[in-house]
Amino acid sequence: MGVLILLGVIVRHVVLRPVAELTSQVRAVAQGDFDRSLKVDRPAELSELSGHIDAMRRRILAQWRASEEQAQELRRSNGELEQFAYVASHDLQEPLRKVASFTQMLEQRYGDQLDDKAKQYITFAVDGAKRMQLLINDLLDFSRVGRVGAEKVPLDSALPLADALHNLAVRVEESGADVSHGPLPEVVGNRTQLTQLFQNLISNAIKFRADEPPTVRIEARETGDDMWEFSCLDNGIGIEEKYADKVFLIFQRLHTRDRYPGTGIGLALCRKIVEYHGGRIWLDSQEREGHGTTVRWTLPGRSHG
């Protein structure tokens, strides 16, 4: 009987008490005391284990602090980006408006004294100022994705499509475009940004049309995990498969500005919007140049909200 009592005391002193001490230290760290060192002197096995756990604690703490520093740097960069957006939307645009306005006034007032070459220079100046304004506005739209008014809520995806068609009503009528859609699901998204998405895709379909009037069809199908795959199919000039990735890069153009005006930001903006919503966007690999274009993208369904 005495031997059993002695054995119990030894086990408690040599094993149970160090285990309880290590458990207490680990619990303190788990509750937020991340600077608490983990150390048990004996037995040797527990001492080695506590050393490994403490090394892991130090690595996690170092990575966490590094991520905090990166987050602070990101917040600072975002603040600078907000400042840039303000400057771009105010201080840069006002001089451009003045350049365009006063150049046009110059032509109106002294037009009868200017030769054809001078009038051509004035046209170039006004066109350059207007294109710079368009570029600034597109860059602002690109920079705002995920930052300004970007709350995502459950909504019927037919609503942003209707908004986009309302904004494009004049272009649709002038081009004789036929824009239709099938049943559209409820998704989790930002209405303003999804309106930009639909508007850019339909606008591209109208811009890059072939000889016949443009037709655009919007469809959606469920793909599983409460994700929806959308498609925008048109009968335009199409895109060669080798450019399937390039078209989604900012400032990438496949055609000259004289033939198809624009800033080269539209599809890059579409990709940024889709990725902000947790989806992806791509060109249908089966499409070929001259046979229309199909853009596909995914968005999360209602249960993701």
Side-chain angles (χ1 to χ4, degrees), residues 8-19 40 42-44 46:
V9 171
I10 294 175
V11 169
R12 181 175 180 180
H13 181 74
V14 175
V15 179
L16 297 182
R17 183 176 296 174
V19 168
V40 174
R42 62 180 191 278
L46 276 182

Side-chain angles (χ1 to χ4, degrees), residues 188-288:
V188 176
N190 177 269
R191 182 166 177 171
T192 299
Q193 292 184 3
L194 293 183
T195 297
Q196 286 182 304
L197 173 64
F198 282 117
Q199 187 168 321
N200 283 357
L201 293 174
I202 296 172
S203 179
N204 271 2
I206 294 174
K207 179 195 299 186
F208 298 105
R209 58 182 179 269
D211 296 332
E212 63 272 14
T215 62
V216 186
R217 178 70 177 176
I218 307 291
E219 296 279 1
R221 66 181 185 90
E222 194 168 12
T223 61
D225 298 327
D226 198 35
M227 293 293 291
W228 289 86
E229 181 185 296
F230 290 75
S231 62
C232 178
L233 170 66
D234 66 51
N235 63 336
I237 61 175
I239 300 173
E240 289 187 70
E241 188 174 351
K242 63 181 179 180
Y243 299 123
D245 294 325
K246 181 179 179 181
V247 295
F248 292 105
L249 300 178
I250 192 169
F251 298 132
Q252 295 298 314
R253 302 177 57 90
L254 304 184
H255 308 279
T256 62
R257 187 175 288 106
D258 294 337
R259 185 178 180 188
Y260 295 106
T263 59
I265 298 179
L267 286 179
L269 177 60
C270 289
R271 184 176 73 171
K272 191 171 184 182
I273 290 172
V274 170
E275 290 180 350
Y276 168 70
H277 283 77
R280 66 186 187 95
I281 187 170
W282 69 97
L283 287 182
D284 195 316
S285 61
Q286 296 182 354
E287 300 301 321
R288 296 292 185 271

Side-chain angles (χ1 to χ4, degrees), residues 30 55 69 167 200 270 298:
E69 293 176 358
N167 296 339
N200 283 357
C270 289
T298 57

